[in-house]
Amino acid sequence: MKVNLIIDSSLDEGEVQVHAQNATVGARVLSYVDHFTKDKENITVKSNDEFTVIKKMDIVCAEVHNKILTIYTSKESIQTYKSLTMFLDELNSNTFMQVSKSELLNIQKIKKVEPSFSGNLIAVMSNGQKVNISRRFVSILKERLGI
């Protein structure tokens, strides 16, 4: 990927424009920029009677089962009572995406993507965990990964 920096003093203060040939390249660039520009790098999760502070970039994936959200990092798993949608909103980052009704993942922690039956995919994550990507989210994931 070729990147150029063009200084344009006519832009409003705090305004940045990104130009890309297609949506896939644009999404990849925004994902990288998003990683470095978010105000909060950590997220606080209530688990039982304690609060755990997790670095967002340490989160590999998360899943909801029986109304319990399990957040997986490379070192541990934390359980809490939050909806997947609420957790995704709190993450507030293009690096994370929902890939099924009950799972989300950090696209920067995907090691490889394998085909599955019925048009689904399976993402093998950096911690070895396998995450199912439903057909509904396959095209979005492919676009975000640039494949």
Side-chain angles (χ1 to χ4, degrees):
M1 177 184 318
K2 181 180 176 184
V3 178
N4 293 315
L5 174 63
I6 300 169
I7 308 299
D8 185 350
S9 59
S10 69
L11 295 175
D12 292 337
E13 185 174 329
E15 181 182 1
V16 175
Q17 293 184 1
V18 176
H19 299 263
Q21 181 188 19
N22 58 52
T24 302
V25 173
R28 285 178 56 203
V29 170
L30 290 177
S31 177
Y32 291 127
V33 170
D34 179 61
H35 169 68
F36 293 106
T37 58
K38 289 297 176 189
D39 293 336
K40 287 180 63 178
E41 292 182 15
N42 298 327
I43 190 164
T44 304
V45 177
K46 183 179 181 186
S47 178
N48 297 324
D49 290 331
E50 62 187 25
F51 292 89
T52 305
V53 178
I54 308 167
K55 287 186 178 183
K56 287 182 182 180
M57 293 316 301
D58 288 345
I59 297 171
V60 175
C61 57
E63 68 180 351
V64 172
H65 185 66
N66 292 332
K67 297 185 180 182
I68 297 173
L69 175 69
T70 305
I71 303 161
Y72 297 96
T73 68
S74 54
K75 298 177 184 174
E76 63 182 334
S77 62
I78 300 111
Q79 293 187 328
T80 188
Y81 292 96
K82 273 188 188 171
S83 72
L84 196 64
T85 305
M86 183 184 294
F87 184 60
L88 192 57
D89 288 344
E90 286 177 15
L91 288 170
N92 188 26
S93 172
N94 291 326
T95 304
F96 297 91
M97 72 172 282
Q98 186 170 351
V99 292
S100 70
K101 192 164 65 168
S102 61
E103 294 180 283
L104 68 81
L105 55 73
N106 180 340
I107 61 173
Q108 294 183 351
K109 300 286 184 176
I110 296 174
K111 201 167 158 181
K112 65 181 174 178
V113 179
E114 304 170 338
S116 183
F117 62 91
S118 303
N120 295 356
L121 295 175
I122 295 176
V124 179
M125 306 304 291
S126 62
N127 65 352
Q129 191 158 349
K130 294 185 177 184
V131 177
N132 291 311
I133 295 115
S134 70
R135 284 181 301 181
R136 180 176 158 203
F137 295 95
V138 166
S139 62
I140 300 167
L141 179 67
K142 284 182 174 181
E143 182 178 319
R144 297 276 298 275
L145 293 176
I147 56 175

